[in-house]
Amino acid sequence: MNVGVCYAEADRQLWLRLEVPDGSTIEQAIELSGVLKHYPDINLDTQKVGIFGKIVKLDTVVTDGDRVEIYRQITADPKLVKRRRL
């Protein structure tokens, strides 16, 4: 089955398409993608993951065509950033 794994930092992003065995979990898809080698600072114990913008657990089984996303920690309070723009 074909899935995508993506991760973005402020200045660059990575989007990988790969084939995974049927019944693979999000965690297995991330490991198979090699994204952890490109971004060794990713910590799946603390960072949230999702499929198409919906937060899910690492043991969620992916389906064909899913986009697996690894989310970064928020570095600025969105309300504060909005006030600075005004």
Side-chain angles (χ1 to χ4, degrees), residues 50-64:
I51 297 176
F52 290 117
K54 181 180 177 188
I55 294 176
V56 295
K57 295 184 179 192
L58 287 171
D59 61 356
T60 301
V61 175
V62 295
T63 60
D64 191 45

Side-chain angles (χ1 to χ4, degrees), residues 7-10 72-78 80-81 84:
Y7 178 71
E9 290 187 330
R72 293 183 288 136
Q73 300 293 332
I74 294 177
T75 57
D77 181 357
L80 180 62
V81 171
R84 287 183 190 162

Side-chain angles (χ1 to χ4, degrees), residues 4-37:
V5 175
C6 59
Y7 178 71
E9 290 187 330
D11 60 341
R12 61 184 177 154
Q13 62 184 2
L14 179 68
W15 175 298
L16 302 166
R17 304 283 297 160
L18 66 143
E19 289 286 326
V20 297
D22 289 346
S24 294
T25 64
I26 286 187
E27 185 172 20
Q28 291 168 330
I30 290 170
E31 289 174 6
L32 289 170
S33 74
V35 71
L36 299 176
K37 293 177 186 171

